[in-house]
Amino acid sequence: MLTQQKSSVFDWLNRHFLSCPFKAHFGIDCPGCGLQRSVLALLKGNLPESFRFYPATIPLIILIIFTVIHLKVDFKFGAQVIKLVFTGIAVIILINYIYKIYNHLLIN
Amino acid sequence: MSDEQGTPQENPIEPIKNDIPAVEPLQTPPVTPPPFQQPPPFGQFGNGMGQQNLPNATAALVLGIIAIPACCFYGIFGLIFGIIAWVLGAGDVNKYKLNPAFYTESSYKNAKAGKICGMVATILSILTIVFFVLVIVGAITNPEMYDNFLKGMK
């Protein structure tokens, strides 16, 4: 029963993605395309799949959780860590997008 | 207290005579009272309870981080969030530099982080938008090449 409910929830999510307007008009992925599929894969517990769809998802979620904790607890080097991880995520997104362009993965 | 209660009748006359003696106690006390008089301003504004968080530090940090997923969904939202986070963070950093004793250092660090996150998100969004504009311009001016480009990618 539980697995059935879970799968129905995932199906529902799968059918109700916010579609990227850029992709809808021009057929090319934007730098954020894959994020929702990736989050869904993560919810299913499929880490490699999530990484394949969008490598920045896992660090991004970790960063968001860390920021919430930091705003409550106020770590000494929290702001520094957030800056570094954030810049790293931006670099990952850029590299991922350039990789997609070069490997003709923009059209799915 | 009893002395003060006894004197009020003499007070109307005394103020004129006491002008000179009243100056001397002010000159001599500075040797001892400073320990009592000076600490309060530091206690209030420097060390402990009186310090405030910068008003927009948290907002700048949160907006700066939200800017990345927002940038990824629609491009323009990332730009808006990123610029707001940048402006809020920079404003708070300036505020802290004007009056460092008045605000907590942790909120200053947060504001600084928010500013940098906003900058990074803004740069990423601008790159994204430039790429979009290039693709759109390419599609409008050179439809055939655009088609070939797409087919080539498939």
Side-chain angles (χ1 to χ4, degrees), chain A residues 21 26 30 32 54 67 70 74 83 86 90 97 104, chain B residues 64-65 72 74 106 110 116-117 120 131-132 136 146 153:
Chain A
F26 295 93
C30 79
Y54 202 68
T67 307
H70 167 68
D74 201 12
K83 265 186 278 182
F86 190 86
Y97 198 59
H104 310 312
Chain B
I65 289 170
C72 297
Y74 292 102
S106 68
N110 282 351
I116 287 169
C117 292
V120 172
F131 180 78
F132 282 5
I136 291 168
Y146 181 74
M153 290 211 293

mmCIF file with all atom_site columns, all heavy atoms in Angstrom, chain A residues 21 26 30 32 54 67 70 74 83 86 90 97 104, chain B residues 64-65 72 74 106 110 116-117 120 131-132 136 146 153:
data_model
loop_
_atom_site.group_PDB
_atom_site.id
_atom_site.type_symbol
_atom_site.label_atom_id
_atom_site.label_alt_id
_atom_site.label_comp_id
_atom_site.label_asym_id
_atom_site.label_entity_id
_atom_site.label_seq_id
_atom_site.pdbx_PDB_ins_code
_atom_site.Cartn_x
_atom_site.Cartn_y
_atom_site.Cartn_z
_atom_site.occupancy
_atom_site.B_iso_or_equiv
_atom_site.pdbx_formal_charge
_atom_site.auth_seq_id
_atom_site.auth_comp_id
_atom_site.auth_asym_id
_atom_site.auth_atom_id
_atom_site.pdbx_PDB_model_num
ATOM 1   N N   . PRO A 1 21  ? 9.775  27.783 -19.802 1.00 0.00 ? 21  PRO A N   1
ATOM 2   C CA  . PRO A 1 21  ? 9.239  28.479 -20.982 1.00 0.00 ? 21  PRO A CA  1
ATOM 3   C C   . PRO A 1 21  ? 10.251 28.532 -22.112 1.00 0.00 ? 21  PRO A C   1
ATOM 4   O O   . PRO A 1 21  ? 9.878  28.474 -23.288 1.00 0.00 ? 21  PRO A O   1
ATOM 5   C CB  . PRO A 1 21  ? 8.920  29.881 -20.465 1.00 0.00 ? 21  PRO A CB  1
ATOM 6   C CG  . PRO A 1 21  ? 9.714  30.028 -19.223 1.00 0.00 ? 21  PRO A CG  1
ATOM 7   C CD  . PRO A 1 21  ? 9.879  28.671 -18.649 1.00 0.00 ? 21  PRO A CD  1
ATOM 8   N N   . PHE A 1 26  ? 11.873 27.190 -27.543 1.00 0.00 ? 26  PHE A N   1
ATOM 9   C CA  . PHE A 1 26  ? 13.026 27.027 -28.431 1.00 0.00 ? 26  PHE A CA  1
ATOM 10  C C   . PHE A 1 26  ? 13.586 25.606 -28.444 1.00 0.00 ? 26  PHE A C   1
ATOM 11  O O   . PHE A 1 26  ? 14.469 25.303 -29.214 1.00 0.00 ? 26  PHE A O   1
ATOM 12  C CB  . PHE A 1 26  ? 14.139 28.002 -28.028 1.00 0.00 ? 26  PHE A CB  1
ATOM 13  C CG  . PHE A 1 26  ? 13.735 29.425 -28.235 1.00 0.00 ? 26  PHE A CG  1
ATOM 14  C CD1 . PHE A 1 26  ? 13.176 30.155 -27.207 1.00 0.00 ? 26  PHE A CD1 1
ATOM 15  C CD2 . PHE A 1 26  ? 13.887 30.032 -29.464 1.00 0.00 ? 26  PHE A CD2 1
ATOM 16  C CE1 . PHE A 1 26  ? 12.787 31.473 -27.392 1.00 0.00 ? 26  PHE A CE1 1
ATOM 17  C CE2 . PHE A 1 26  ? 13.511 31.347 -29.663 1.00 0.00 ? 26  PHE A CE2 1
ATOM 18  C CZ  . PHE A 1 26  ? 12.958 32.062 -28.626 1.00 0.00 ? 26  PHE A CZ  1
ATOM 19  N N   . CYS A 1 30  ? 17.529 25.192 -20.585 1.00 0.00 ? 30  CYS A N   1
ATOM 20  C CA  . CYS A 1 30  ? 18.154 26.337 -19.940 1.00 0.00 ? 30  CYS A CA  1
ATOM 21  C C   . CYS A 1 30  ? 19.101 25.789 -18.861 1.00 0.00 ? 30  CYS A C   1
ATOM 22  O O   . CYS A 1 30  ? 19.089 24.591 -18.594 1.00 0.00 ? 30  CYS A O   1
ATOM 23  C CB  . CYS A 1 30  ? 17.090 27.251 -19.327 1.00 0.00 ? 30  CYS A CB  1
ATOM 24  S SG  . CYS A 1 30  ? 16.432 26.682 -17.760 1.00 0.00 ? 30  CYS A SG  1
ATOM 25  N N   . GLY A 1 32  ? 18.922 25.628 -15.882 1.00 0.00 ? 32  GLY A N   1
ATOM 26  C CA  . GLY A 1 32  ? 18.271 25.047 -14.718 1.00 0.00 ? 32  GLY A CA  1
ATOM 27  C C   . GLY A 1 32  ? 17.476 23.805 -15.046 1.00 0.00 ? 32  GLY A C   1
ATOM 28  O O   . GLY A 1 32  ? 16.940 23.150 -14.159 1.00 0.00 ? 32  GLY A O   1
ATOM 29  N N   . TYR A 1 54  ? 21.035 16.494 -12.746 1.00 0.00 ? 54  TYR A N   1
ATOM 30  C CA  . TYR A 1 54  ? 21.457 17.842 -12.389 1.00 0.00 ? 54  TYR A CA  1
ATOM 31  C C   . TYR A 1 54  ? 22.456 17.756 -11.238 1.00 0.00 ? 54  TYR A C   1
ATOM 32  O O   . TYR A 1 54  ? 22.056 17.572 -10.087 1.00 0.00 ? 54  TYR A O   1
ATOM 33  C CB  . TYR A 1 54  ? 20.237 18.673 -11.979 1.00 0.00 ? 54  TYR A CB  1
ATOM 34  C CG  . TYR A 1 54  ? 20.446 20.147 -12.092 1.00 0.00 ? 54  TYR A CG  1
ATOM 35  C CD1 . TYR A 1 54  ? 20.590 20.754 -13.335 1.00 0.00 ? 54  TYR A CD1 1
ATOM 36  C CD2 . TYR A 1 54  ? 20.513 20.952 -10.964 1.00 0.00 ? 54  TYR A CD2 1
ATOM 37  C CE1 . TYR A 1 54  ? 20.786 22.105 -13.447 1.00 0.00 ? 54  TYR A CE1 1
ATOM 38  C CE2 . TYR A 1 54  ? 20.702 22.311 -11.073 1.00 0.00 ? 54  TYR A CE2 1
ATOM 39  C CZ  . TYR A 1 54  ? 20.833 22.880 -12.320 1.00 0.00 ? 54  TYR A CZ  1
ATOM 40  O OH  . TYR A 1 54  ? 21.025 24.225 -12.429 1.00 0.00 ? 54  TYR A OH  1
ATOM 41  N N   . THR A 1 67  ? 22.140 26.534 5.653   1.00 0.00 ? 67  THR A N   1
ATOM 42  C CA  . THR A 1 67  ? 21.826 27.943 5.882   1.00 0.00 ? 67  THR A CA  1
ATOM 43  C C   . THR A 1 67  ? 20.750 28.098 6.946   1.00 0.00 ? 67  THR A C   1
ATOM 44  O O   . THR A 1 67  ? 20.853 28.959 7.822   1.00 0.00 ? 67  THR A O   1
ATOM 45  C CB  . THR A 1 67  ? 21.354 28.597 4.575   1.00 0.00 ? 67  THR A CB  1
ATOM 46  O OG1 . THR A 1 67  ? 22.326 28.357 3.577   1.00 0.00 ? 67  THR A OG1 1
ATOM 47  C CG2 . THR A 1 67  ? 21.163 30.081 4.755   1.00 0.00 ? 67  THR A CG2 1
ATOM 48  N N   . HIS A 1 70  ? 22.340 27.450 10.159  1.00 0.00 ? 70  HIS A N   1
ATOM 49  C CA  . HIS A 1 70  ? 23.255 28.547 10.490  1.00 0.00 ? 70  HIS A CA  1
ATOM 50  C C   . HIS A 1 70  ? 22.497 29.771 11.001  1.00 0.00 ? 70  HIS A C   1
ATOM 51  O O   . HIS A 1 70  ? 22.930 30.430 11.945  1.00 0.00 ? 70  HIS A O   1
ATOM 52  C CB  . HIS A 1 70  ? 24.085 28.925 9.253   1.00 0.00 ? 70  HIS A CB  1
ATOM 53  C CG  . HIS A 1 70  ? 24.817 30.209 9.404   1.00 0.00 ? 70  HIS A CG  1
ATOM 54  N ND1 . HIS A 1 70  ? 25.867 30.365 10.277  1.00 0.00 ? 70  HIS A ND1 1
ATOM 55  C CD2 . HIS A 1 70  ? 24.648 31.418 8.814   1.00 0.00 ? 70  HIS A CD2 1
ATOM 56  C CE1 . HIS A 1 70  ? 26.315 31.614 10.196  1.00 0.00 ? 70  HIS A CE1 1
ATOM 57  N NE2 . HIS A 1 70  ? 25.600 32.264 9.328   1.00 0.00 ? 70  HIS A NE2 1
ATOM 58  N N   . ASP A 1 74  ? 23.931 30.021 14.354  1.00 0.00 ? 74  ASP A N   1
ATOM 59  C CA  . ASP A 1 74  ? 24.988 30.999 14.165  1.00 0.00 ? 74  ASP A CA  1
ATOM 60  C C   . ASP A 1 74  ? 26.385 30.399 14.334  1.00 0.00 ? 74  ASP A C   1
ATOM 61  O O   . ASP A 1 74  ? 27.073 30.666 15.313  1.00 0.00 ? 74  ASP A O   1
ATOM 62  C CB  . ASP A 1 74  ? 24.791 32.166 15.139  1.00 0.00 ? 74  ASP A CB  1
ATOM 63  C CG  . ASP A 1 74  ? 25.513 33.394 14.645  1.00 0.00 ? 74  ASP A CG  1
ATOM 64  O OD1 . ASP A 1 74  ? 25.943 33.384 13.490  1.00 0.00 ? 74  ASP A OD1 1
ATOM 65  O OD2 . ASP A 1 74  ? 25.634 34.352 15.424  1.00 0.00 ? 74  ASP A OD2 1
ATOM 66  N N   . LYS A 1 83  ? 29.417 31.078 1.570   1.00 0.00 ? 83  LYS A N   1
ATOM 67  C CA  . LYS A 1 83  ? 29.981 31.757 0.400   1.00 0.00 ? 83  LYS A CA  1
ATOM 68  C C   . LYS A 1 83  ? 30.702 30.760 -0.508  1.00 0.00 ? 83  LYS A C   1
ATOM 69  O O   . LYS A 1 83  ? 30.468 30.722 -1.723  1.00 0.00 ? 83  LYS A O   1
ATOM 70  C CB  . LYS A 1 83  ? 30.986 32.818 0.862   1.00 0.00 ? 83  LYS A CB  1
ATOM 71  C CG  . LYS A 1 83  ? 30.414 34.196 0.977   1.00 0.00 ? 83  LYS A CG  1
ATOM 72  C CD  . LYS A 1 83  ? 31.489 35.196 1.290   1.00 0.00 ? 83  LYS A CD  1
ATOM 73  C CE  . LYS A 1 83  ? 31.815 35.233 2.751   1.00 0.00 ? 83  LYS A CE  1
ATOM 74  N NZ  . LYS A 1 83  ? 32.829 36.238 3.108   1.00 0.00 ? 83  LYS A NZ  1
ATOM 75  N N   . PHE A 1 86  ? 28.344 28.195 -2.120  1.00 0.00 ? 86  PHE A N   1
ATOM 76  C CA  . PHE A 1 86  ? 27.495 28.858 -3.113  1.00 0.00 ? 86  PHE A CA  1
ATOM 77  C C   . PHE A 1 86  ? 28.263 29.083 -4.415  1.00 0.00 ? 86  PHE A C   1
ATOM 78  O O   . PHE A 1 86  ? 27.770 28.779 -5.506  1.00 0.00 ? 86  PHE A O   1
ATOM 79  C CB  . PHE A 1 86  ? 27.028 30.191 -2.533  1.00 0.00 ? 86  PHE A CB  1
ATOM 80  C CG  . PHE A 1 86  ? 25.963 30.865 -3.352  1.00 0.00 ? 86  PHE A CG  1
ATOM 81  C CD1 . PHE A 1 86  ? 24.637 30.554 -3.168  1.00 0.00 ? 86  PHE A CD1 1
ATOM 82  C CD2 . PHE A 1 86  ? 26.298 31.804 -4.299  1.00 0.00 ? 86  PHE A CD2 1
ATOM 83  C CE1 . PHE A 1 86  ? 23.661 31.166 -3.909  1.00 0.00 ? 86  PHE A CE1 1
ATOM 84  C CE2 . PHE A 1 86  ? 25.322 32.427 -5.044  1.00 0.00 ? 86  PHE A CE2 1
ATOM 85  C CZ  . PHE A 1 86  ? 24.000 32.106 -4.853  1.00 0.00 ? 86  PHE A CZ  1
ATOM 86  N N   . ALA A 1 90  ? 27.593 27.516 -8.184  1.00 0.00 ? 90  ALA A N   1
ATOM 87  C CA  . ALA A 1 90  ? 27.515 28.292 -9.428  1.00 0.00 ? 90  ALA A CA  1
ATOM 88  C C   . ALA A 1 90  ? 28.478 27.725 -10.469 1.00 0.00 ? 90  ALA A C   1
ATOM 89  O O   . ALA A 1 90  ? 28.123 27.581 -11.648 1.00 0.00 ? 90  ALA A O   1
ATOM 90  C CB  . ALA A 1 90  ? 27.830 29.760 -9.144  1.00 0.00 ? 90  ALA A CB  1
ATOM 91  N N   . TYR A 1 97  ? 26.435 23.076 -17.683 1.00 0.00 ? 97  TYR A N   1
ATOM 92  C CA  . TYR A 1 97  ? 25.773 23.599 -18.872 1.00 0.00 ? 97  TYR A CA  1
ATOM 93  C C   . TYR A 1 97  ? 26.708 23.560 -20.079 1.00 0.00 ? 97  TYR A C   1
ATOM 94  O O   . TYR A 1 97  ? 26.298 23.184 -21.188 1.00 0.00 ? 97  TYR A O   1
ATOM 95  C CB  . TYR A 1 97  ? 25.279 25.024 -18.605 1.00 0.00 ? 97  TYR A CB  1
ATOM 96  C CG  . TYR A 1 97  ? 24.237 25.465 -19.594 1.00 0.00 ? 97  TYR A CG  1
ATOM 97  C CD1 . TYR A 1 97  ? 23.047 24.753 -19.727 1.00 0.00 ? 97  TYR A CD1 1
ATOM 98  C CD2 . TYR A 1 97  ? 24.423 26.580 -20.396 1.00 0.00 ? 97  TYR A CD2 1
ATOM 99  C CE1 . TYR A 1 97  ? 22.089 25.148 -20.622 1.00 0.00 ? 97  TYR A CE1 1
ATOM 100 C CE2 . TYR A 1 97  ? 23.460 26.976 -21.299 1.00 0.00 ? 97  TYR A CE2 1
ATOM 101 C CZ  . TYR A 1 97  ? 22.294 26.255 -21.413 1.00 0.00 ? 97  TYR A CZ  1
ATOM 102 O OH  . TYR A 1 97  ? 21.345 26.638 -22.314 1.00 0.00 ? 97  TYR A OH  1
ATOM 103 N N   . HIS A 1 104 ? 25.926 17.988 -26.910 1.00 0.00 ? 104 HIS A N   1
ATOM 104 C CA  . HIS A 1 104 ? 24.633 17.984 -27.593 1.00 0.00 ? 104 HIS A CA  1
ATOM 105 C C   . HIS A 1 104 ? 23.547 17.313 -26.762 1.00 0.00 ? 104 HIS A C   1
ATOM 106 O O   . HIS A 1 104 ? 22.768 16.541 -27.275 1.00 0.00 ? 104 HIS A O   1
ATOM 107 C CB  . HIS A 1 104 ? 24.747 17.290 -28.954 1.00 0.00 ? 104 HIS A CB  1
ATOM 108 C CG  . HIS A 1 104 ? 25.890 17.803 -29.765 1.00 0.00 ? 104 HIS A CG  1
ATOM 109 N ND1 . HIS A 1 104 ? 26.130 19.137 -29.949 1.00 0.00 ? 104 HIS A ND1 1
ATOM 110 C CD2 . HIS A 1 104 ? 26.882 17.162 -30.421 1.00 0.00 ? 104 HIS A CD2 1
ATOM 111 C CE1 . HIS A 1 104 ? 27.204 19.299 -30.690 1.00 0.00 ? 104 HIS A CE1 1
ATOM 112 N NE2 . HIS A 1 104 ? 27.704 18.118 -30.979 1.00 0.00 ? 104 HIS A NE2 1
ATOM 113 N N   . GLY B 2 64  ? 19.857 35.605 -1.678  1.00 0.00 ? 64  GLY B N   1
ATOM 114 C CA  . GLY B 2 64  ? 21.009 35.240 -2.494  1.00 0.00 ? 64  GLY B CA  1
ATOM 115 C C   . GLY B 2 64  ? 21.011 33.759 -2.816  1.00 0.00 ? 64  GLY B C   1
ATOM 116 O O   . GLY B 2 64  ? 21.352 33.352 -3.933  1.00 0.00 ? 64  GLY B O   1
ATOM 117 N N   . ILE B 2 65  ? 20.616 32.925 -1.833  1.00 0.00 ? 65  ILE B N   1
ATOM 118 C CA  . ILE B 2 65  ? 20.627 31.484 -2.076  1.00 0.00 ? 65  ILE B CA  1
ATOM 119 C C   . ILE B 2 65  ? 19.449 31.069 -2.936  1.00 0.00 ? 65  ILE B C   1
ATOM 120 O O   . ILE B 2 65  ? 19.583 30.235 -3.825  1.00 0.00 ? 65  ILE B O   1
ATOM 121 C CB  . ILE B 2 65  ? 20.665 30.727 -0.731  1.00 0.00 ? 65  ILE B CB  1
ATOM 122 C CG1 . ILE B 2 65  ? 22.043 30.920 -0.117  1.00 0.00 ? 65  ILE B CG1 1
ATOM 123 C CG2 . ILE B 2 65  ? 20.347 29.267 -0.910  1.00 0.00 ? 65  ILE B CG2 1
ATOM 124 C CD1 . ILE B 2 65  ? 22.161 30.456 1.272   1.00 0.00 ? 65  ILE B CD1 1
ATOM 125 N N   . CYS B 2 72  ? 17.616 29.371 -12.357 1.00 0.00 ? 72  CYS B N   1
ATOM 126 C CA  . CYS B 2 72  ? 17.534 28.205 -13.203 1.00 0.00 ? 72  CYS B CA  1
ATOM 127 C C   . CYS B 2 72  ? 16.144 28.035 -13.781 1.00 0.00 ? 72  CYS B C   1
ATOM 128 O O   . CYS B 2 72  ? 15.993 27.548 -14.890 1.00 0.00 ? 72  CYS B O   1
ATOM 129 C CB  . CYS B 2 72  ? 17.926 26.972 -12.415 1.00 0.00 ? 72  CYS B CB  1
ATOM 130 S SG  . CYS B 2 72  ? 19.622 27.090 -11.874 1.00 0.00 ? 72  CYS B SG  1
ATOM 131 N N   . TYR B 2 74  ? 13.602 30.476 -14.452 1.00 0.00 ? 74  TYR B N   1
ATOM 132 C CA  . TYR B 2 74  ? 13.155 31.417 -15.471 1.00 0.00 ? 74  TYR B CA  1
ATOM 133 C C   . TYR B 2 74  ? 14.168 32.497 -15.819 1.00 0.00 ? 74  TYR B C   1
ATOM 134 O O   . TYR B 2 74  ? 13.833 33.446 -16.521 1.00 0.00 ? 74  TYR B O   1
ATOM 135 C CB  . TYR B 2 74  ? 11.847 32.088 -15.042 1.00 0.00 ? 74  TYR B CB  1
ATOM 136 C CG  . TYR B 2 74  ? 10.688 31.133 -15.015 1.00 0.00 ? 74  TYR B CG  1
ATOM 137 C CD1 . TYR B 2 74  ? 10.226 30.615 -13.826 1.00 0.00 ? 74  TYR B CD1 1
ATOM 138 C CD2 . TYR B 2 74  ? 10.082 30.735 -16.200 1.00 0.00 ? 74  TYR B CD2 1
ATOM 139 C CE1 . TYR B 2 74  ? 9.175  29.720 -13.805 1.00 0.00 ? 74  TYR B CE1 1
ATOM 140 C CE2 . TYR B 2 74  ? 9.035  29.849 -16.186 1.00 0.00 ? 74  TYR B CE2 1
ATOM 141 C CZ  . TYR B 2 74  ? 8.580  29.340 -14.988 1.00 0.00 ? 74  TYR B CZ  1
ATOM 142 O OH  . TYR B 2 74  ? 7.556  28.469 -14.969 1.00 0.00 ? 74  TYR B OH  1
ATOM 143 N N   . SER B 2 106 ? 28.356 38.748 13.670  1.00 0.00 ? 106 SER B N   1
ATOM 144 C CA  . SER B 2 106 ? 27.848 37.600 12.898  1.00 0.00 ? 106 SER B CA  1
ATOM 145 C C   . SER B 2 106 ? 26.884 38.070 11.815  1.00 0.00 ? 106 SER B C   1
ATOM 146 O O   . SER B 2 106 ? 26.890 37.558 10.699  1.00 0.00 ? 106 SER B O   1
ATOM 147 C CB  . SER B 2 106 ? 27.162 36.608 13.841  1.00 0.00 ? 106 SER B CB  1
ATOM 148 O OG  . SER B 2 106 ? 25.983 37.176 14.359  1.00 0.00 ? 106 SER B OG  1
ATOM 149 N N   . ASN B 2 110 ? 27.034 37.609 7.792   1.00 0.00 ? 110 ASN B N   1
ATOM 150 C CA  . ASN B 2 110 ? 25.904 37.141 6.988   1.00 0.00 ? 110 ASN B CA  1
ATOM 151 C C   . ASN B 2 110 ? 25.608 38.109 5.856   1.00 0.00 ? 110 ASN B C   1
ATOM 152 O O   . ASN B 2 110 ? 25.360 37.694 4.720   1.00 0.00 ? 110 ASN B O   1
ATOM 153 C CB  . ASN B 2 110 ? 24.657 36.994 7.864   1.00 0.00 ? 110 ASN B CB  1
ATOM 154 C CG  . ASN B 2 110 ? 24.678 35.748 8.701   1.00 0.00 ? 110 ASN B CG  1
ATOM 155 O OD1 . ASN B 2 110 ? 25.544 34.897 8.516   1.00 0.00 ? 110 ASN B OD1 1
ATOM 156 N ND2 . ASN B 2 110 ? 23.762 35.640 9.636   1.00 0.00 ? 110 ASN B ND2 1
ATOM 157 N N   . ILE B 2 116 ? 27.823 38.586 -1.511  1.00 0.00 ? 116 ILE B N   1
ATOM 158 C CA  . ILE B 2 116 ? 28.608 37.816 -2.484  1.00 0.00 ? 116 ILE B CA  1
ATOM 159 C C   . ILE B 2 116 ? 27.726 36.804 -3.210  1.00 0.00 ? 116 ILE B C   1
ATOM 160 O O   . ILE B 2 116 ? 27.839 36.633 -4.431  1.00 0.00 ? 116 ILE B O   1
ATOM 161 C CB  . ILE B 2 116 ? 29.796 37.147 -1.769  1.00 0.00 ? 116 ILE B CB  1
ATOM 162 C CG1 . ILE B 2 116 ? 30.820 38.236 -1.449  1.00 0.00 ? 116 ILE B CG1 1
ATOM 163 C CG2 . ILE B 2 116 ? 30.423 36.075 -2.634  1.00 0.00 ? 116 ILE B CG2 1
ATOM 164 C CD1 . ILE B 2 116 ? 31.899 37.817 -0.549  1.00 0.00 ? 116 ILE B CD1 1
ATOM 165 N N   . CYS B 2 117 ? 26.801 36.155 -2.455  1.00 0.00 ? 117 CYS B N   1
ATOM 166 C CA  . CYS B 2 117 ? 25.873 35.224 -3.107  1.00 0.00 ? 117 CYS B CA  1
ATOM 167 C C   . CYS B 2 117 ? 25.053 35.964 -4.151  1.00 0.00 ? 117 CYS B C   1
ATOM 168 O O   . CYS B 2 117 ? 24.819 35.449 -5.254  1.00 0.00 ? 117 CYS B O   1
ATOM 169 C CB  . CYS B 2 117 ? 24.957 34.585 -2.073  1.00 0.00 ? 117 CYS B CB  1
ATOM 170 S SG  . CYS B 2 117 ? 25.798 33.475 -0.950  1.00 0.00 ? 117 CYS B SG  1
ATOM 171 N N   . VAL B 2 120 ? 27.228 36.548 -7.225  1.00 0.00 ? 120 VAL B N   1
ATOM 172 C CA  . VAL B 2 120 ? 27.429 35.337 -8.021  1.00 0.00 ? 120 VAL B CA  1
ATOM 173 C C   . VAL B 2 120 ? 26.162 34.994 -8.794  1.00 0.00 ? 120 VAL B C   1
ATOM 174 O O   . VAL B 2 120 ? 26.202 34.698 -9.998  1.00 0.00 ? 120 VAL B O   1
ATOM 175 C CB  . VAL B 2 120 ? 27.852 34.163 -7.105  1.00 0.00 ? 120 VAL B CB  1
ATOM 176 C CG1 . VAL B 2 120 ? 27.879 32.869 -7.894  1.00 0.00 ? 120 VAL B CG1 1
ATOM 177 C CG2 . VAL B 2 120 ? 29.207 34.445 -6.499  1.00 0.00 ? 120 VAL B CG2 1
ATOM 178 N N   . PHE B 2 131 ? 23.069 34.250 -23.064 1.00 0.00 ? 131 PHE B N   1
ATOM 179 C CA  . PHE B 2 131 ? 22.976 33.056 -23.909 1.00 0.00 ? 131 PHE B CA  1
ATOM 180 C C   . PHE B 2 131 ? 21.602 32.955 -24.555 1.00 0.00 ? 131 PHE B C   1
ATOM 181 O O   . PHE B 2 131 ? 21.485 32.677 -25.755 1.00 0.00 ? 131 PHE B O   1
ATOM 182 C CB  . PHE B 2 131 ? 23.271 31.811 -23.065 1.00 0.00 ? 131 PHE B CB  1
ATOM 183 C CG  . PHE B 2 131 ? 23.191 30.537 -23.826 1.00 0.00 ? 131 PHE B CG  1
ATOM 184 C CD1 . PHE B 2 131 ? 24.218 30.141 -24.656 1.00 0.00 ? 131 PHE B CD1 1
ATOM 185 C CD2 . PHE B 2 131 ? 22.072 29.720 -23.717 1.00 0.00 ? 131 PHE B CD2 1
ATOM 186 C CE1 . PHE B 2 131 ? 24.144 28.964 -25.372 1.00 0.00 ? 131 PHE B CE1 1
ATOM 187 C CE2 . PHE B 2 131 ? 21.988 28.539 -24.427 1.00 0.00 ? 131 PHE B CE2 1
ATOM 188 C CZ  . PHE B 2 131 ? 23.027 28.157 -25.253 1.00 0.00 ? 131 PHE B CZ  1
ATOM 189 N N   . PHE B 2 132 ? 20.555 33.211 -23.757 1.00 0.00 ? 132 PHE B N   1
ATOM 190 C CA  . PHE B 2 132 ? 19.195 33.171 -24.292 1.00 0.00 ? 132 PHE B CA  1
ATOM 191 C C   . PHE B 2 132 ? 19.050 34.159 -25.436 1.00 0.00 ? 132 PHE B C   1
ATOM 192 O O   . PHE B 2 132 ? 18.503 33.837 -26.495 1.00 0.00 ? 132 PHE B O   1
ATOM 193 C CB  . PHE B 2 132 ? 18.180 33.530 -23.192 1.00 0.00 ? 132 PHE B CB  1
ATOM 194 C CG  . PHE B 2 132 ? 17.905 32.418 -22.236 1.00 0.00 ? 132 PHE B CG  1
ATOM 195 C CD1 . PHE B 2 132 ? 18.610 31.216 -22.311 1.00 0.00 ? 132 PHE B CD1 1
ATOM 196 C CD2 . PHE B 2 132 ? 16.929 32.549 -21.267 1.00 0.00 ? 132 PHE B CD2 1
ATOM 197 C CE1 . PHE B 2 132 ? 18.353 30.193 -21.424 1.00 0.00 ? 132 PHE B CE1 1
ATOM 198 C CE2 . PHE B 2 132 ? 16.670 31.529 -20.382 1.00 0.00 ? 132 PHE B CE2 1
ATOM 199 C CZ  . PHE B 2 132 ? 17.380 30.352 -20.448 1.00 0.00 ? 132 PHE B CZ  1
ATOM 200 N N   . ILE B 2 136 ? 18.030 33.448 -29.247 1.00 0.00 ? 136 ILE B N   1
ATOM 201 C CA  . ILE B 2 136 ? 16.823 34.019 -29.841 1.00 0.00 ? 136 ILE B CA  1
ATOM 202 C C   . ILE B 2 136 ? 17.176 34.846 -31.075 1.00 0.00 ? 136 ILE B C   1
ATOM 203 O O   . ILE B 2 136 ? 16.542 34.722 -32.134 1.00 0.00 ? 136 ILE B O   1
ATOM 204 C CB  . ILE B 2 136 ? 16.070 34.882 -28.801 1.00 0.00 ? 136 ILE B CB  1
ATOM 205 C CG1 . ILE B 2 136 ? 15.485 33.968 -27.716 1.00 0.00 ? 136 ILE B CG1 1
ATOM 206 C CG2 . ILE B 2 136 ? 14.962 35.681 -29.459 1.00 0.00 ? 136 ILE B CG2 1
ATOM 207 C CD1 . ILE B 2 136 ? 14.973 34.703 -26.514 1.00 0.00 ? 136 ILE B CD1 1
ATOM 208 N N   . TYR B 2 146 ? 19.694 27.928 -37.564 1.00 0.00 ? 146 TYR B N   1
ATOM 209 C CA  . TYR B 2 146 ? 19.175 27.507 -36.261 1.00 0.00 ? 146 TYR B CA  1
ATOM 210 C C   . TYR B 2 146 ? 18.624 26.087 -36.359 1.00 0.00 ? 146 TYR B C   1
ATOM 211 O O   . TYR B 2 146 ? 18.883 25.237 -35.505 1.00 0.00 ? 146 TYR B O   1
ATOM 212 C CB  . TYR B 2 146 ? 18.090 28.491 -35.832 1.00 0.00 ? 146 TYR B CB  1
ATOM 213 C CG  . TYR B 2 146 ? 17.466 28.196 -34.498 1.00 0.00 ? 146 TYR B CG  1
ATOM 214 C CD1 . TYR B 2 146 ? 18.151 28.444 -33.317 1.00 0.00 ? 146 TYR B CD1 1
ATOM 215 C CD2 . TYR B 2 146 ? 16.173 27.678 -34.423 1.00 0.00 ? 146 TYR B CD2 1
ATOM 216 C CE1 . TYR B 2 146 ? 17.575 28.184 -32.097 1.00 0.00 ? 146 TYR B CE1 1
ATOM 217 C CE2 . TYR B 2 146 ? 15.585 27.424 -33.205 1.00 0.00 ? 146 TYR B CE2 1
ATOM 218 C CZ  . TYR B 2 146 ? 16.294 27.684 -32.052 1.00 0.00 ? 146 TYR B CZ  1
ATOM 219 O OH  . TYR B 2 146 ? 15.720 27.414 -30.854 1.00 0.00 ? 146 TYR B OH  1
ATOM 220 N N   . MET B 2 153 ? 22.373 18.901 -33.338 1.00 0.00 ? 153 MET B N   1
ATOM 221 C CA  . MET B 2 153 ? 22.502 18.499 -31.934 1.00 0.00 ? 153 MET B CA  1
ATOM 222 C C   . MET B 2 153 ? 21.759 17.210 -31.658 1.00 0.00 ? 153 MET B C   1
ATOM 223 O O   . MET B 2 153 ? 22.123 16.459 -30.773 1.00 0.00 ? 153 MET B O   1
ATOM 224 C CB  . MET B 2 153 ? 21.997 19.619 -31.028 1.00 0.00 ? 153 MET B CB  1
ATOM 225 C CG  . MET B 2 153 ? 22.933 20.817 -31.048 1.00 0.00 ? 153 MET B CG  1
ATOM 226 S SD  . MET B 2 153 ? 22.977 21.730 -29.520 1.00 0.00 ? 153 MET B SD  1
ATOM 227 C CE  . MET B 2 153 ? 21.368 22.404 -29.478 1.00 0.00 ? 153 MET B CE  1
#
